[in-house]
Amino acid sequence: MNNSAAGRVFTVLFTLVIFAGILYLAYLTTKYIGKKYSVGGGLYGRNIKILDTVRLSQDKLLMIVKAGDKTVLMGVSKEHMEYICDVDEKQLDIQSAGTGSEVPAVTDFASAFKSVLSEKMQNFKSKENKHEDKK
């Protein structure tokens, strides 16, 4: 290997190391900000939880919110929130989340990212298998 080829290899390796370092710093920053500002979908706090959400239109939602030991039904739009009524939490079916616009029970970014990534990979693999079956 001559001098210029070695220089190119070194430049490529150095660039890859710098890129990996930037990615790692971005990961650490995201993790720090997520913990500091309780980013878990932005929907959970220590004392307040959104138990369920139903989208009525593009900017209108119904939410069942639990604050402490009180559970209420709220109407939410872009510019307004309104209390509708108290809800008996014993009558709610929290465990059986369907396939609607419910809030996922994910509490951190890493778990959410892993679940979305695994779901997308499964979809990709199933599409790839269907494509191979057609051949």
Side-chain angles (χ1 to χ4, degrees), residues 63-134:
M63 292 183 168
I64 299 176
V65 181
K66 181 174 182 175
D69 59 352
K70 188 170 184 176
T71 305
V72 297
L73 179 64
M74 304 281 298
V76 181
S77 69
K78 282 185 177 181
E79 299 170 2
H80 185 69
M81 289 180 70
E82 186 169 336
Y83 165 85
I84 297 174
C85 66
D86 287 332
V87 176
D88 185 10
E89 191 176 351
K90 294 174 187 171
Q91 294 178 346
L92 298 177
D93 186 16
I94 304 295
Q95 297 299 322
S96 63
T99 58
S101 60
E102 296 91 1
V103 177
V106 177
T107 57
D108 65 307
F109 177 78
S111 298
F113 183 74
K114 285 179 185 176
S115 66
V116 169
L117 184 62
S118 65
E119 180 182 325
K120 295 296 179 184
M121 289 302 293
Q122 288 175 352
N123 290 344
F124 178 75
K125 288 178 182 177
S126 66
K127 286 181 183 178
E128 191 175 83
N129 289 340
K130 287 180 185 177
H131 182 68
E132 287 179 2
D133 290 343
K134 289 181 181 178

Side-chain angles (χ1 to χ4, degrees), residues 13-62:
L13 290 176
F14 182 73
T15 304
L16 288 174
V17 168
I18 293 296
F19 182 69
I22 290 171
L23 285 178
Y24 183 70
L25 288 174
Y27 166 76
L28 290 178
T29 303
T30 304
K31 189 173 180 180
Y32 171 75
I33 290 172
K35 284 182 182 177
K36 183 173 175 91
Y37 294 104
S38 298
V39 176
L43 303 172
Y44 301 98
R46 289 189 176 138
N47 297 304
I48 299 174
K49 291 189 170 111
I50 297 176
L51 301 179
D52 201 4
T53 302
V54 175
R55 184 172 301 278
L56 300 175
S57 68
Q58 185 173 357
D59 64 342
K60 292 184 174 103
L61 303 167
L62 283 176

